[in-house]
Amino acid sequence: MVTESRVLRGLAEELRERLVEFSRRLIRTPSLPGHEGEVARLVAEEMRELGYDEVRTDEVGNVIGLIRGAGSGRSLMLNTHLDHVDSGDESRWPFPPFAAELHEGCIWGRGAVDIKGPTAAQVHGAAILKAAGVRPEGDVVVVVAVQEEVGGLGSVEVGRSTKTDRAVVGEPSGNELRRGHRGRVELLVGVRGRSCHASVPEKGINPHYSMSRFVTGLRDVRTEVDPFLGRESFAPTLIQSDQSSANVVPGELTLHVDWRTIPSRAPEEVRAELARLLEASLLDGASGQVDLRTFDLVTYTGARRRAPTAFPSFVLPEGDPLVSESRAALEEALGREVPVGRWEFATDGGHLTAAGVPTIGFGPGDPALAHTTQERIGVTELVEGAVGYAALALRLTSGA
Ligand SMILES: [Zn+2]
């Protein structure tokens, strides 16, 4: 295995230039959720050129590449996504967000760590096995999914259609292992009163009074703690009124609540708890309800899906063989210690776990740079990530 690690590292070094160029091409191709067609085409083309055994795009636009195994081992999914968040005001970036500028050993731009760098490392990492002439014992399926940034529609679809025995999600983790994260659920709290002229407020029912009691009460809602993930949290974020004039008492208010979830709390249980709080907050005959927010999404292939804005939490137990095998494989291949921790943000790992696929996280790039104007990835780290994925693809598919 020591010789094998050396071979993997050697091949990754040979691939370095191509890996860097591929990452830069991906960054230069903007792919907001719903507009990933061009970047999907680039990914599929790269997989074909690297000698993948099968490459296809499914109905919603996920790119799925297969490196066929010998059939005696487990199947493994490597999972990242095609989309990214908005780049915002370009003048705030040290380098233009879609130029993929190389500066002092780093590639700069939107998606460098979240997630085009890791995507390139997974696509190339699996292909290193081909280059080494090594056939994994089980199939390696590389999935690059649509619309992760708006709820994970692509991976929900993949969780239904492409069952593998295990999965590695490639969100940035500084090439450390991640075995879980809190989930995210968006709740909509609506209060309905009765609109009237603001000069005679007594003629209407002003929903602000009920809503303010609800928001104050939200601070005192009981929260639970998960020993690994930490405490769940509620944050009121956006608020909308049905009026645009300041001299009208609104008839309706809608508040968005960002709830970071832990596995012990089911969405319906929490929704019902907040509904009871709202009921107790209503004044003057106002009415209200609490709902999980849903989105109607259209993918770049024209597929339509209705999905809740919910990422489930997940925790892979500390003693799970997927943790120990991943750690052993990476420490051997990378020649250093590989810590195991948690992500602070939600990923498609929750959807895959919910679909019954045990999932672990590993990806190059500093997670603190995701969604910022400082987004960049070190080339050395990128290459190390590709070696890591090759080692994981070998080890995690061995033995059924
Ligand atoms: Zn991401």
Side-chain angles (χ1 to χ4, degrees):
M1 196 63 200
V2 173
T3 337
E4 213 165 59
S5 301
R6 203 168 296 149
V7 171
L8 295 183
R9 285 205 294 263
L11 285 165
E13 278 310 319
E14 281 175 34
L15 272 171
R16 172 187 288 258
E17 208 170 310
R18 186 161 177 191
L19 173 59
V20 169
E21 276 321 302
F22 180 46
S23 308
R24 296 180 76 193
R25 260 201 325 279
L26 295 180
I27 293 168
R28 285 192 199 113
T29 312
S31 52
L32 284 169
H35 304 274
E36 302 100 324
E38 185 58 21
V39 102
R41 197 185 55 75
L42 285 181
V43 170
E45 193 179 274
E46 188 78 357
M47 286 174 168
R48 285 192 190 99
E49 283 176 15
L50 289 167
Y52 276 58
D53 295 308
E54 261 174 41
V55 181
R56 65 188 180 90
T57 301
D58 71 8
E59 190 193 336
V60 298
N62 298 316
V63 181
I64 302 172
L66 170 71
I67 305 273
R68 196 167 284 114
S72 53
R74 298 183 172 96
S75 55
L76 175 72
M77 181 193 304
L78 301 181
N79 176 296
T80 61
H81 55 91
L82 294 161
D83 59 325
H84 57 78
V85 294
D86 193 9
S87 56
D89 180 357
E90 291 210 6
S91 70
R92 293 181 177 273
W93 286 75
F95 300 98
F98 301 107
E101 206 83 49
L102 255 177
H103 182 74
E104 292 182 347
C106 287
I107 310 169
W108 284 74
R110 174 54 80 233
V113 298
D114 188 8
I115 198 175
K116 293 174 172 181
T119 298
Q122 286 199 342
V123 168
H124 277 249
I128 286 175
L129 303 185
K130 280 263 171 194
V134 184
R135 193 166 193 199
E137 285 181 37
D139 288 350
V140 179
V141 185
V142 181
V143 171
V144 194
V146 295
Q147 305 209 7
E148 188 271 349
E149 299 291 358
V150 287
L153 175 165
S155 283
V156 169
E157 196 83 5
V158 157
R160 285 192 200 114
S161 68
T162 313
K163 295 275 186 213
T164 53
D165 295 317
R166 295 166 150 186
V168 178
V169 162
E171 293 287 334
S173 65
N175 285 342
E176 294 181 358
L177 282 164
R178 295 286 182 260
R179 62 176 182 89
H181 57 62
R182 293 184 302 170
R184 176 178 187 270
V185 170
E186 201 172 320
L187 294 155
L188 291 182
V189 180
V191 175
R192 187 171 301 119
R194 193 173 63 237
S195 178
C196 66
H197 197 296
S199 65
V200 281
E202 67 279 6
K203 294 207 164 161
I205 301 174
N206 194 326
H208 277 293
Y209 298 111
S210 301
M211 188 63 93
S212 69
R213 275 163 53 107
F214 173 83
V215 171
T216 306
L218 194 58
R219 283 167 62 109
D220 299 324
V221 164
R222 174 186 65 94
T223 51
E224 291 183 7
V225 179
D226 179 273
F228 174 63
L229 299 177
R231 187 176 286 281
E232 65 179 327
S233 60
F234 296 98
T237 55
L238 306 174
I239 189 159
Q240 286 130 10
S241 144
D242 64 342
Q243 300 294 325
S244 56
S245 302
N247 55 358
V248 179
V249 169
E252 231 176 301
L253 291 177
T254 306
L255 175 77
H256 297 238
V257 176
D258 180 301
W259 169 39
R260 299 293 158 144
T261 70
I262 57 175
S264 63
R265 300 261 275 163
E268 183 44 39
E269 174 200 339
V270 172
R271 192 205 61 77
E273 194 172 328
L274 296 196
R276 283 195 296 276
L277 170 63
L278 180 61
E279 193 60 39
S281 307
L282 296 173
L283 292 170
D284 314 324
S287 60
Q289 79 285 329
V290 179
D291 298 304
L292 299 180
R293 187 181 185 195
T294 52
F295 262 135
D296 287 309
L297 297 167
V298 183
T299 71
Y300 75 88
T301 55
R304 287 171 188 278
R305 294 289 184 275
R306 164 163 274 227
T309 47
F311 281 98
S313 61
F314 85 95
V315 181
L316 188 65
E318 196 174 4
D320 194 283
L322 183 51
V323 176
S324 49
E325 288 173 40
S326 300
R327 195 169 189 175
L330 289 171
E331 293 192 342
E332 208 162 272
L334 308 180
R336 62 168 172 82
E337 263 188 49
V338 177
V340 184
R342 68 177 193 216
W343 272 309
E344 294 304 328
F345 48 82
T347 75
D348 274 343
H351 292 311
L352 298 178
T353 304
V357 183
T359 298
I360 197 161
F362 172 83
D366 178 353
L369 299 176
H371 302 196
T372 73
T373 58
Q374 301 299 309
E375 197 173 352
R376 62 190 185 276
I377 192 161
V379 169
T380 307
E381 198 180 354
L382 191 62
V383 175
E384 192 189 52
V387 176
Y389 289 128
L392 288 171
L394 262 190
R395 178 70 65 92
L396 299 182
T397 54
S398 78

